[in-house]
Amino acid sequence: MSNEIKITFAEPNVADSGTLVMFIAEGGVYGRELSALIGKKAENHLKRAAEAEHFTGKEKQVLVVPAPDGIAAGRAVLVGIGGSKQRNETNYVNLGGLIAGQLGKATQATVLMYGPEDWRVDAAAAAELALGMHLRVYDFDHYKTKKKDDEAKSTSVKVVIGLHDPAGAKKAYKYSEAVAGGVAIARNLVNEPPNVLTPTAFAKQAAELSKLGVNVDILDEKQLGKIGMRALLAVGQGSRQESRVVIMRWHGDKSSKGKKSKPLAFIGKGVVFDTGGISIKPAAGMEDMKGDMAGAACVVGLMHALAARKAKVDAIGVIGLVENMPDGNAQRPGDIVKSYDGQTIEIINTDAEGRLVLCDLLAYVRDHYKPAFMINLATLTGAILVALGQENAGLFSTDDGLSDRLTASGRATGETVWRMPLGPAYDKMIDSRFADMKNTGGRFAGSITAAQFLRRFVGDVPWAHLDIAGTGMASPNSDINRSWGSGWGVRLLDRLVHDYHE
Ligand code: BES
Ligand code: MN
Ligand code: ZN
């Protein structure tokens, strides 16, 4: 069981005897309304406690005061929101995460959304705060049958966010819930162990989206063979698990009566486990390769978010689900495979398998759906970790507009991307002596040659590739994420759709 949080919105009220969260500005300044709500006695007590603990209301500073005088609350949590400059740029999602991290064993909490007059406390801010709380309390612990003494068993907390426009917040919160749900789905998929989350099990999870009105088709190996996705099938041929491709279609743009609008296409690498194949990986850390399907997980999470919030857009999600294993039937270095669109690929290293999965999907989506754009996500190269660490995903694109919009959406959500180069000089590095191309380009510029490989399959469709090997798994802790699988990209792409395509 994971931690549960139930959030509602109401006119402000301090009668509850749970945890009372209050926002304090730099210099220990209480908003006028907050002062009026809690009364002089409580304010004086809290100010004395703040002084003793050197709490000044600096951004992200927190002070917990047990049993504050003058109010019924069992605990007061003072949260600093900084000076006017910081208050102008408050990230409410992160702030929500920070607060949720302070709830401890509380079963009931009230957040008083009041501050100085210049601080935005509207319905949208409250909904963002709520999103951050959901993201923070996410916990993947359902395989733990025993709890250490100091670990509270799964907690369930009721949170009331007090503000002047509860009805507006409730409406805005529907959006937050859809996105939080999508991120949780993506995180769950990435965290699940590879013996449980096989390609067929993954496909079954994706099929759940049909409950939200998403049209889901699952293609099995026989169908994939007929279509000609030979590169994708070659990756899975050394596994006892059958490969699958899942196509998810969301039709939310009802304005284009009859006429089909060009869908937005999202494509994900779903290698449920990557041993490297015959070019096998070293043992140390190989368990992390259960997360080599983070791109596909993001696509499923995104489709959930779009459908749950009834996005007014036509979107398709396509994921390639395979397991990369070494066995007597596995592909070999030296093999030449013919991709879906007829281009031939010489296999140099069976561990460069993600591009083999994606190239068939990209060419197929390009031909069959004539999309407005294609964005693919993949834990594609270790080299992107060397280049960018875990702070930015690598962005490769043939389209400056799409690239700029992704960059802006990244800034807005905190899921940031950094553009990397493409170009003919890199393209030469993957020319093959025997086939149209090789699946690796040597030691240098590994992330770029991988992207250059994908580019050969996108035709004229505006395209962006996000290399999320650094951001999708083994994520560092933040205010809004304590999970190994971060669910990275769901919020970024939801934002892109919302800001530019609805
Ligand atoms: N799934 C890996 C990339 C990866 C590495 C993801 C670390 C997450 C963390 C990918 O399939 C791979 O093995 N790439 C090789 C490519 C090489 C053989 C050209 C790599 O990065 O070493
Ligand atoms: Mn690999
Ligand atoms: Zn891989």
Side-chain angles (χ1 to χ4, degrees), residues 269 274 281 289 292 349 351 353 379-382 440 469 473:
K269 168 181 173 181
D274 180 12
K281 288 180 181 295
M289 284 303 113
D292 207 19
N349 187 321
D351 197 10
E353 84 296 341
T379 47
L380 202 62
T381 65
T440 61
M473 62 171 99

